[in-house]
Amino acid sequence: MMKSKKLKVGFVGSGNTAKRHAEVVSKFNKYNLVGVFSRKIKNAKNFAKKFNINNFYDDIHKFKQNEYDLIIFCLPPEKLLSYLKYFINLKTNIFIEKPLGLNLIESKKILKLFKNRKYRKMKFFVGYNRRFLGSVLKLKKIISNQSSIRYIEINDQQDTNKARSLGHDQLTIKNWMFANSIHTIDFFVFLMRGKLKIFNTKKIKFKNSYIITCNIVSSHGDFGRYIGYWNIPSNWSVSLINDQNILNLSPLEEIIVKKKLKNIKYKNFVIDKKFKPGFYNQFREIDNALSNKKNYAVTIFDAIKSVQIIDKIYEISK
């Protein structure tokens, strides 16, 4: 029996996130890591050595000359659009690490590029790995057959000083809600059913910090509450309440199920201990999508919904 041809994978970006993706992809036998681009040749070479990749570049045009079945983009948000333009019309599938764009304006530009692409069958995925945490998959399984109304409460904490210390530029920091708050705000899109509407948005200002609050209602009848703490100590948390359970994710990698007087905690999901949490389950869905199987991979059309919600929530702070 003839062996199937391996799919060729290239990486644009060679930082820690790219490495975590490469660790996962290399565990799937049908993929072959064949090229990496970095703006610094030393970084590209080190990445290539670590993952046995023959081709490494600091010239995007030379990287582009090779053939790829899938290109994985792990770039700072402010760089993504400019590099995507080189590849959107190639015969290759694309997987980008979130966010879809630096803000809603850029995200719409990327969506337009995708809609006008030359090869219409090529796919475009966005890395929303929190959807694929073991804890979140457990939550989804618990509520899968529960049709009652859902109340979802999300606490989001952001620290622009920390973002600055990590080397992000001022434009990215200005749009930090799109780059990082999307991890939690996406749960509204993911867990609430129907079309979402934002109302009663408020901004509470302090000397060097602020809080954003808003309510969200869906056409299905689900209700959400968001609180964003900026430069104020807090923890990320997601709670879902229906008529049968209270489900808490705090930290997001763990789940506590409260049912009547009984509390059950689920943690230490094996695959999320072995790889960056959510990454393996996420790529498994992308693999299914590339094989034209049923899948839950996040497409560009899914991803922009969260970007639109963020834009509406934070419109008050513009």
Side-chain angles (χ1 to χ4, degrees), residues 257-297:
V257 181
K258 299 181 180 181
K259 194 168 185 176
K260 295 183 179 180
L261 299 177
K262 188 177 182 181
N263 291 354
I264 304 174
K265 179 183 281 191
Y266 299 93
K267 61 178 183 177
N268 298 324
F269 295 93
V270 175
I271 205 69
D272 286 343
K273 290 291 183 182
K274 189 172 182 180
F275 302 100
K276 184 174 174 65
F279 273 38
Y280 188 91
N281 291 329
Q282 175 176 251
F283 193 76
R284 182 180 59 196
E285 296 303 321
I286 290 172
D287 175 55
N288 287 337
L290 294 176
S291 301
N292 295 315
K293 298 178 182 177
K294 181 180 178 180
N295 68 87
Y296 300 96

Side-chain angles (χ1 to χ4, degrees), residues 192-250:
M192 294 177 74
R193 297 158 293 183
K195 189 175 180 180
L196 305 187
K197 182 179 179 180
I198 312 293
F199 64 99
N200 287 350
T201 304
K202 295 181 180 180
K203 183 175 183 179
I204 305 165
K205 295 182 180 180
F206 303 104
K207 185 177 180 180
N208 297 308
S209 58
Y210 65 93
I211 296 173
I212 292 283
T213 69
C214 73
N215 297 318
I216 303 175
V217 66
S218 77
S219 57
H220 188 278
D222 295 334
F223 189 86
R225 175 72 171 166
Y226 172 77
I227 306 177
Y229 298 90
W230 286 81
N231 302 320
I232 301 174
S234 184
N235 293 315
W236 280 8
S237 67
V238 176
S239 296
L240 185 149
I241 301 170
N242 60 17
D243 64 0
Q244 296 185 50
N245 311 282
I246 298 176
L247 304 119
N248 293 326
L249 303 174
S250 183

